[in-house]
PDB file of all heavy atoms in Angstrom:
ATOM      1  N   ALA A 756       5.045   9.598   5.094  1.00 97.00           N
ATOM      2  CA  ALA A 756       5.723  10.177   6.254  1.00 97.00           C
ATOM      3  C   ALA A 756       6.434  11.464   5.879  1.00 97.00           C
ATOM      4  O   ALA A 756       6.493  12.418   6.667  1.00 97.00           O
ATOM      5  CB  ALA A 756       6.725   9.172   6.823  1.00 97.00           C
ATOM      6  N   GLU A 757       6.961  11.517   4.653  1.00 97.00           N
ATOM      7  CA  GLU A 757       7.731  12.677   4.216  1.00 97.00           C
ATOM      8  C   GLU A 757       6.854  13.911   3.980  1.00 97.00           C
ATOM      9  O   GLU A 757       7.364  15.026   3.910  1.00 97.00           O
ATOM     10  CB  GLU A 757       8.489  12.347   2.916  1.00 97.00           C
ATOM     11  CG  GLU A 757       9.413  11.149   3.011  1.00 97.00           C
ATOM     12  CD  GLU A 757       8.709   9.822   2.737  1.00 97.00           C
ATOM     13  OE1 GLU A 757       7.476   9.820   2.509  1.00 97.00           O
ATOM     14  OE2 GLU A 757       9.399   8.797   2.764  1.00 97.00           O
ATOM     15  N   ALA A 758       5.539  13.688   3.842  1.00 97.00           N
ATOM     16  CA  ALA A 758       4.637  14.797   3.525  1.00 97.00           C
ATOM     17  C   ALA A 758       3.758  15.222   4.698  1.00 97.00           C
ATOM     18  O   ALA A 758       3.220  16.334   4.697  1.00 97.00           O
ATOM     19  CB  ALA A 758       3.744  14.415   2.348  1.00 97.00           C
ATOM     20  N   ALA A 759       3.591  14.352   5.684  1.00 97.00           N
ATOM     21  CA  ALA A 759       2.671  14.634   6.791  1.00 97.00           C
ATOM     22  C   ALA A 759       3.313  15.552   7.832  1.00 97.00           C
ATOM     23  O   ALA A 759       4.440  15.315   8.264  1.00 97.00           O
ATOM     24  CB  ALA A 759       2.228  13.337   7.443  1.00 97.00           C
ATOM     25  N   ALA A 760       2.583  16.565   8.234  1.00 97.00           N
ATOM     26  CA  ALA A 760       3.076  17.483   9.269  1.00 97.00           C
ATOM     27  C   ALA A 760       2.908  16.886  10.660  1.00 97.00           C
ATOM     28  O   ALA A 760       3.747  17.092  11.535  1.00 97.00           O
ATOM     29  CB  ALA A 760       2.334  18.814   9.178  1.00 97.00           C
ATOM     30  N   ALA A 761       1.816  16.149  10.868  1.00 98.00           N
ATOM     31  CA  ALA A 761       1.514  15.573  12.183  1.00 98.00           C
ATOM     32  C   ALA A 761       0.998  14.147  11.985  1.00 98.00           C
ATOM     33  O   ALA A 761      -0.208  13.899  12.033  1.00 98.00           O
ATOM     34  CB  ALA A 761       0.481  16.421  12.913  1.00 98.00           C
ATOM     35  N   PRO A 762       1.893  13.193  11.737  1.00 98.00           N
ATOM     36  CA  PRO A 762       1.453  11.840  11.376  1.00 98.00           C
ATOM     37  C   PRO A 762       0.607  11.131  12.428  1.00 98.00           C
ATOM     38  O   PRO A 762      -0.323  10.406  12.079  1.00 98.00           O
ATOM     39  CB  PRO A 762       2.766  11.090  11.111  1.00 98.00           C
ATOM     40  CG  PRO A 762       3.834  11.903  11.757  1.00 98.00           C
ATOM     41  CD  PRO A 762       3.360  13.317  11.701  1.00 98.00           C
ATOM     42  N   VAL A 763       0.904  11.323  13.706  1.00 98.00           N
ATOM     43  CA  VAL A 763       0.115  10.657  14.745  1.00 98.00           C
ATOM     44  C   VAL A 763      -1.306  11.205  14.755  1.00 98.00           C
ATOM     45  O   VAL A 763      -2.289  10.447  14.763  1.00 98.00           O
ATOM     46  CB  VAL A 763       0.778  10.823  16.127  1.00 98.00           C
ATOM     47  CG1 VAL A 763      -0.153  10.313  17.222  1.00 98.00           C
ATOM     48  CG2 VAL A 763       2.109  10.070  16.169  1.00 98.00           C
ATOM     49  N   ARG A 764      -1.410  12.511  14.732  1.00 98.00           N
ATOM     50  CA  ARG A 764      -2.744  13.137  14.721  1.00 98.00           C
ATOM     51  C   ARG A 764      -3.525  12.700  13.482  1.00 98.00           C
ATOM     52  O   ARG A 764      -4.727  12.407  13.556  1.00 98.00           O
ATOM     53  CB  ARG A 764      -2.605  14.658  14.752  1.00 98.00           C
ATOM     54  CG  ARG A 764      -3.949  15.398  14.808  1.00 98.00           C
ATOM     55  CD  ARG A 764      -3.741  16.890  14.943  1.00 98.00           C
ATOM     56  NE  ARG A 764      -3.079  17.441  13.756  1.00 98.00           N
ATOM     57  CZ  ARG A 764      -2.496  18.639  13.724  1.00 98.00           C
ATOM     58  NH1 ARG A 764      -2.454  19.384  14.810  1.00 98.00           N
ATOM     59  NH2 ARG A 764      -1.931  19.079  12.609  1.00 98.00           N
ATOM     60  N   LEU A 765      -2.836  12.649  12.334  1.00 98.00           N
ATOM     61  CA  LEU A 765      -3.508  12.274  11.097  1.00 98.00           C
ATOM     62  C   LEU A 765      -3.968  10.814  11.141  1.00 98.00           C
ATOM     63  O   LEU A 765      -5.095  10.497  10.744  1.00 98.00           O
ATOM     64  CB  LEU A 765      -2.571  12.501   9.909  1.00 98.00           C
ATOM     65  CG  LEU A 765      -3.125  12.142   8.524  1.00 98.00           C
ATOM     66  CD1 LEU A 765      -4.441  12.858   8.261  1.00 98.00           C
ATOM     67  CD2 LEU A 765      -2.099  12.476   7.445  1.00 98.00           C
ATOM     68  N   ALA A 766      -3.115   9.920  11.616  1.00 98.00           N
ATOM     69  CA  ALA A 766      -3.498   8.508  11.716  1.00 98.00           C
ATOM     70  C   ALA A 766      -4.724   8.351  12.619  1.00 98.00           C
ATOM     71  O   ALA A 766      -5.650   7.586  12.308  1.00 98.00           O
ATOM     72  CB  ALA A 766      -2.336   7.682  12.253  1.00 98.00           C
ATOM     73  N   ARG A 767      -4.739   9.067  13.723  1.00 98.00           N
ATOM     74  CA  ARG A 767      -5.881   8.981  14.644  1.00 98.00           C
ATOM     75  C   ARG A 767      -7.156   9.533  14.014  1.00 98.00           C
ATOM     76  O   ARG A 767      -8.250   9.008  14.240  1.00 98.00           O
ATOM     77  CB  ARG A 767      -5.553   9.723  15.942  1.00 98.00           C
ATOM     78  CG  ARG A 767      -4.500   9.000  16.779  1.00 98.00           C
ATOM     79  CD  ARG A 767      -4.185   9.735  18.069  1.00 98.00           C
ATOM     80  NE  ARG A 767      -3.211   8.979  18.863  1.00 98.00           N
ATOM     81  CZ  ARG A 767      -2.758   9.365  20.048  1.00 98.00           C
ATOM     82  NH1 ARG A 767      -3.180  10.512  20.593  1.00 98.00           N
ATOM     83  NH2 ARG A 767      -1.889   8.616  20.708  1.00 98.00           N
ATOM     84  N   GLU A 768      -7.006  10.570  13.197  1.00 98.00           N
ATOM     85  CA  GLU A 768      -8.183  11.147  12.544  1.00 98.00           C
ATOM     86  C   GLU A 768      -8.745  10.179  11.498  1.00 98.00           C
ATOM     87  O   GLU A 768      -9.963  10.019  11.381  1.00 98.00           O
ATOM     88  CB  GLU A 768      -7.826  12.491  11.898  1.00 98.00           C
ATOM     89  CG  GLU A 768      -9.039  13.238  11.372  1.00 98.00           C
ATOM     90  CD  GLU A 768      -8.724  14.640  10.891  1.00 98.00           C
ATOM     91  OE1 GLU A 768      -7.550  15.081  11.011  1.00 98.00           O
ATOM     92  OE2 GLU A 768      -9.650  15.304  10.391  1.00 98.00           O
ATOM     93  N   ILE A 769      -7.862   9.537  10.745  1.00 98.00           N
ATOM     94  CA  ILE A 769      -8.301   8.556   9.745  1.00 98.00           C
ATOM     95  C   ILE A 769      -9.041   7.409  10.429  1.00 98.00           C
ATOM     96  O   ILE A 769     -10.116   6.992   9.999  1.00 98.00           O
ATOM     97  CB  ILE A 769      -7.095   8.022   8.953  1.00 98.00           C
ATOM     98  CG1 ILE A 769      -6.512   9.126   8.057  1.00 98.00           C
ATOM     99  CG2 ILE A 769      -7.494   6.812   8.104  1.00 98.00           C
ATOM    100  CD1 ILE A 769      -5.174   8.771   7.443  1.00 98.00           C
ATOM    101  N   ARG A 770      -8.466   6.912  11.536  1.00 98.00           N
ATOM    102  CA  ARG A 770      -9.116   5.827  12.275  1.00 98.00           C
ATOM    103  C   ARG A 770     -10.454   6.267  12.854  1.00 98.00           C
ATOM    104  O   ARG A 770     -11.431   5.511  12.834  1.00 98.00           O
ATOM    105  CB  ARG A 770      -8.199   5.363  13.405  1.00 98.00           C
ATOM    106  CG  ARG A 770      -7.069   4.445  12.974  1.00 98.00           C
ATOM    107  CD  ARG A 770      -6.149   4.149  14.141  1.00 98.00           C
ATOM    108  NE  ARG A 770      -5.450   2.870  14.009  1.00 98.00           N
ATOM    109  CZ  ARG A 770      -4.610   2.390  14.911  1.00 98.00           C
ATOM    110  NH1 ARG A 770      -4.370   3.071  16.033  1.00 98.00           N
ATOM    111  NH2 ARG A 770      -4.003   1.228  14.724  1.00 98.00           N
ATOM    112  N   ALA A 771     -10.503   7.488  13.359  1.00 98.00           N
ATOM    113  CA  ALA A 771     -11.737   7.993  13.967  1.00 98.00           C
ATOM    114  C   ALA A 771     -12.867   8.085  12.948  1.00 98.00           C
ATOM    115  O   ALA A 771     -14.043   7.965  13.301  1.00 98.00           O
ATOM    116  CB  ALA A 771     -11.495   9.359  14.611  1.00 98.00           C
ATOM    117  N   LYS A 772     -12.506   8.270  11.685  1.00 98.00           N
ATOM    118  CA  LYS A 772     -13.513   8.360  10.628  1.00 98.00           C
ATOM    119  C   LYS A 772     -13.922   6.981  10.113  1.00 98.00           C
ATOM    120  O   LYS A 772     -14.773   6.870   9.224  1.00 98.00           O
ATOM    121  CB  LYS A 772     -13.011   9.244   9.482  1.00 98.00           C
ATOM    122  CG  LYS A 772     -13.017  10.730   9.823  1.00 98.00           C
ATOM    123  CD  LYS A 772     -12.635  11.574   8.629  1.00 98.00           C
ATOM    124  CE  LYS A 772     -12.806  13.055   8.947  1.00 98.00           C
ATOM    125  NZ  LYS A 772     -14.226  13.436   9.083  1.00 98.00           N
ATOM    126  N   GLY A 773     -13.277   5.923  10.637  1.00 97.00           N
ATOM    127  CA  GLY A 773     -13.704   4.574  10.317  1.00 97.00           C
ATOM    128  C   GLY A 773     -12.866   3.819   9.311  1.00 97.00           C
ATOM    129  O   GLY A 773     -13.255   2.724   8.886  1.00 97.00           O
ATOM    130  N   ALA A 774     -11.716   4.369   8.930  1.00 98.00           N
ATOM    131  CA  ALA A 774     -10.844   3.681   7.965  1.00 98.00           C
ATOM    132  C   ALA A 774      -9.570   3.205   8.651  1.00 98.00           C
ATOM    133  O   ALA A 774      -9.250   3.621   9.771  1.00 98.00           O
ATOM    134  CB  ALA A 774     -10.489   4.610   6.804  1.00 98.00           C
ATOM    135  N   ARG A 775      -8.848   2.331   7.985  1.00 98.00           N
ATOM    136  CA  ARG A 775      -7.532   1.899   8.447  1.00 98.00           C
ATOM    137  C   ARG A 775      -6.513   2.976   8.106  1.00 98.00           C
ATOM    138  O   ARG A 775      -6.543   3.546   7.016  1.00 98.00           O
ATOM    139  CB  ARG A 775      -7.140   0.569   7.796  1.00 98.00           C
ATOM    140  CG  ARG A 775      -8.024  -0.593   8.210  1.00 98.00           C
ATOM    141  CD  ARG A 775      -7.627  -1.875   7.488  1.00 98.00           C
ATOM    142  NE  ARG A 775      -6.255  -2.269   7.815  1.00 98.00           N
ATOM    143  CZ  ARG A 775      -5.905  -2.994   8.889  1.00 98.00           C
ATOM    144  NH1 ARG A 775      -6.840  -3.411   9.729  1.00 98.00           N
ATOM    145  NH2 ARG A 775      -4.654  -3.314   9.105  1.00 98.00           N
ATOM    146  N   ALA A 776      -5.618   3.242   9.049  1.00 98.00           N
ATOM    147  CA  ALA A 776      -4.601   4.278   8.855  1.00 98.00           C
ATOM    148  C   ALA A 776      -3.273   3.625   8.494  1.00 98.00           C
ATOM    149  O   ALA A 776      -2.815   2.698   9.157  1.00 98.00           O
ATOM    150  CB  ALA A 776      -4.443   5.108  10.119  1.00 98.00           C
ATOM    151  N   SER A 777      -2.656   4.132   7.435  1.00 98.00           N
ATOM    152  CA  SER A 777      -1.404   3.579   6.951  1.00 98.00           C
ATOM    153  C   SER A 777      -0.424   4.701   6.630  1.00 98.00           C
ATOM    154  O   SER A 777      -0.829   5.790   6.230  1.00 98.00           O
ATOM    155  CB  SER A 777      -1.656   2.728   5.706  1.00 98.00           C
ATOM    156  OG  SER A 777      -0.454   2.321   5.089  1.00 98.00           O
ATOM    157  N   MET A 778       0.862   4.406   6.796  1.00 98.00           N
ATOM    158  CA  MET A 778       1.900   5.377   6.476  1.00 98.00           C
ATOM    159  C   MET A 778       2.900   4.752   5.514  1.00 98.00           C
ATOM    160  O   MET A 778       3.266   3.586   5.663  1.00 98.00           O
ATOM    161  CB  MET A 778       2.621   5.840   7.750  1.00 98.00           C
ATOM    162  CG  MET A 778       3.624   6.969   7.518  1.00 98.00           C
ATOM    163  SD  MET A 778       4.288   7.626   9.078  1.00 98.00           S
ATOM    164  CE  MET A 778       5.359   6.263   9.573  1.00 98.00           C
ATOM    165  N   ALA A 779       3.332   5.525   4.522  1.00 98.00           N
ATOM    166  CA  ALA A 779       4.280   5.050   3.518  1.00 98.00           C
ATOM    167  C   ALA A 779       5.636   5.717   3.696  1.00 98.00           C
ATOM    168  O   ALA A 779       5.724   6.869   4.122  1.00 98.00           O
ATOM    169  CB  ALA A 779       3.751   5.349   2.116  1.00 98.00           C
ATOM    170  N   LEU A 780       6.681   4.959   3.349  1.00 98.00           N
ATOM    171  CA  LEU A 780       8.045   5.482   3.383  1.00 98.00           C
ATOM    172  C   LEU A 780       8.665   5.329   2.000  1.00 98.00           C
ATOM    173  O   LEU A 780       8.635   4.251   1.405  1.00 98.00           O
ATOM    174  CB  LEU A 780       8.900   4.707   4.392  1.00 98.00           C
ATOM    175  CG  LEU A 780       8.427   4.660   5.844  1.00 98.00           C
ATOM    176  CD1 LEU A 780       9.414   3.837   6.670  1.00 98.00           C
ATOM    177  CD2 LEU A 780       8.295   6.061   6.420  1.00 98.00           C
ATOM    178  N   LYS A 781       9.273   6.408   1.501  1.00 97.00           N
ATOM    179  CA  LYS A 781      10.047   6.338   0.268  1.00 97.00           C
ATOM    180  C   LYS A 781      11.275   5.449   0.500  1.00 97.00           C
ATOM    181  O   LYS A 781      11.677   5.222   1.642  1.00 97.00           O
ATOM    182  CB  LYS A 781      10.505   7.733  -0.151  1.00 97.00           C
ATOM    183  CG  LYS A 781       9.417   8.643  -0.691  1.00 97.00           C
ATOM    184  CD  LYS A 781      10.049   9.962  -1.131  1.00 97.00           C
ATOM    185  CE  LYS A 781       9.055  10.894  -1.767  1.00 97.00           C
ATOM    186  NZ  LYS A 781       9.707  12.145  -2.236  1.00 97.00           N
ATOM    187  N   PRO A 782      11.902   4.983  -0.586  1.00 96.00           N
ATOM    188  CA  PRO A 782      13.059   4.093  -0.420  1.00 96.00           C
ATOM    189  C   PRO A 782      14.171   4.638   0.474  1.00 96.00           C
ATOM    190  O   PRO A 782      14.777   3.871   1.240  1.00 96.00           O
ATOM    191  CB  PRO A 782      13.551   3.896  -1.862  1.00 96.00           C
ATOM    192  CG  PRO A 782      12.298   3.980  -2.676  1.00 96.00           C
ATOM    193  CD  PRO A 782      11.485   5.058  -2.004  1.00 96.00           C
ATOM    194  N   ALA A 783      14.439   5.932   0.425  1.00 96.00           N
ATOM    195  CA  ALA A 783      15.555   6.487   1.203  1.00 96.00           C
ATOM    196  C   ALA A 783      15.185   6.880   2.631  1.00 96.00           C
ATOM    197  O   ALA A 783      16.049   7.280   3.409  1.00 96.00           O
ATOM    198  CB  ALA A 783      16.134   7.705   0.484  1.00 96.00           C
ATOM    199  N   THR A 784      13.905   6.738   2.986  1.00 97.00           N
ATOM    200  CA  THR A 784      13.459   7.124   4.332  1.00 97.00           C
ATOM    201  C   THR A 784      13.610   5.941   5.285  1.00 97.00           C
ATOM    202  O   THR A 784      12.995   4.896   5.080  1.00 97.00           O
ATOM    203  CB  THR A 784      11.993   7.582   4.309  1.00 97.00           C
ATOM    204  OG1 THR A 784      11.852   8.667   3.389  1.00 97.00           O
ATOM    205  CG2 THR A 784      11.552   8.038   5.690  1.00 97.00           C
TER     206      THR A 784
END
Side-chain angles (χ1 to χ4, degrees):
E757 303 86 358
V763 171
R764 183 176 65 196
L765 180 55
R767 290 180 178 181
E768 188 173 357
I769 291 169
R770 281 175 154 181
K772 286 185 173 290
R775 294 178 62 85
S777 172
M778 186 173 72
L780 303 180
K781 288 183 176 182
T784 303

